[in-house]
Amino acid sequence: LGLNPIVEGATMRIPIPELNAERRKELVKVAHKYAEQARVAVRHVRRDGMDLLKKAAKDGMPEDEETRLGERVQKQTDDTIAEIDKLLAGKEQDIMKV
């Protein structure tokens, strides 16, 4: 975030730069990076879940059950990514508000 703490004896000061338009845009970029990392993490969980379903199908799970659970995993993934996008949009508005 570009914050450099200064230690003065028993106290620690963290000077926070003024929030001008340029700094706000930098913070929005940081927020976008965190949101993308969250999306990637959700996709990794989806991949792991789908791999488990494929393994269970090979071990004897009915095909229609695998399909139903796969659709459920995909829907949960889509809902979570939509929630991340919604939170990012709200945070972006908060950051850009003067």
Side-chain angles (χ1 to χ4, degrees):
L1 295 176
L3 303 175
N4 297 316
I6 300 170
V7 178
E8 296 177 347
T11 60
M12 181 186 319
R13 294 190 317 165
I14 302 175
I16 300 175
E18 179 183 332
L19 281 180
N20 55 18
E22 182 179 320
R23 180 73 177 145
R24 290 175 193 275
K25 288 179 184 178
E26 289 175 16
L27 289 175
V28 168
K29 287 181 185 179
V30 171
H32 279 276
K33 286 180 187 177
Y34 282 124
E36 184 58 32
Q37 289 174 355
R39 287 186 205 106
V40 169
V42 168
R43 290 183 194 121
H44 284 298
V45 171
R46 176 190 61 196
R47 184 191 65 219
D48 293 343
M50 296 302 258
D51 289 345
L52 286 173
L53 285 175
K54 288 178 185 177
K55 184 178 182 218
K58 287 181 183 178
D59 292 342
M61 178 190 284
E63 189 175 319
D64 59 337
E65 183 74 10
E66 177 193 3
T67 304
R68 186 180 64 78
L69 290 174
E71 289 172 357
R72 220 168 127 190
V73 168
Q74 183 61 46
K75 182 179 181 336
Q76 186 66 40
T77 301
D78 294 341
D79 291 345
T80 304
I81 289 177
E83 181 70 19
I84 291 169
D85 291 339
K86 185 176 98 174
L87 291 170
L88 175 63
K91 184 52 69 178
E92 187 174 344
Q93 286 180 349
D94 287 347
I95 292 171
M96 295 306 287
K97 191 185 320 178
V98 176

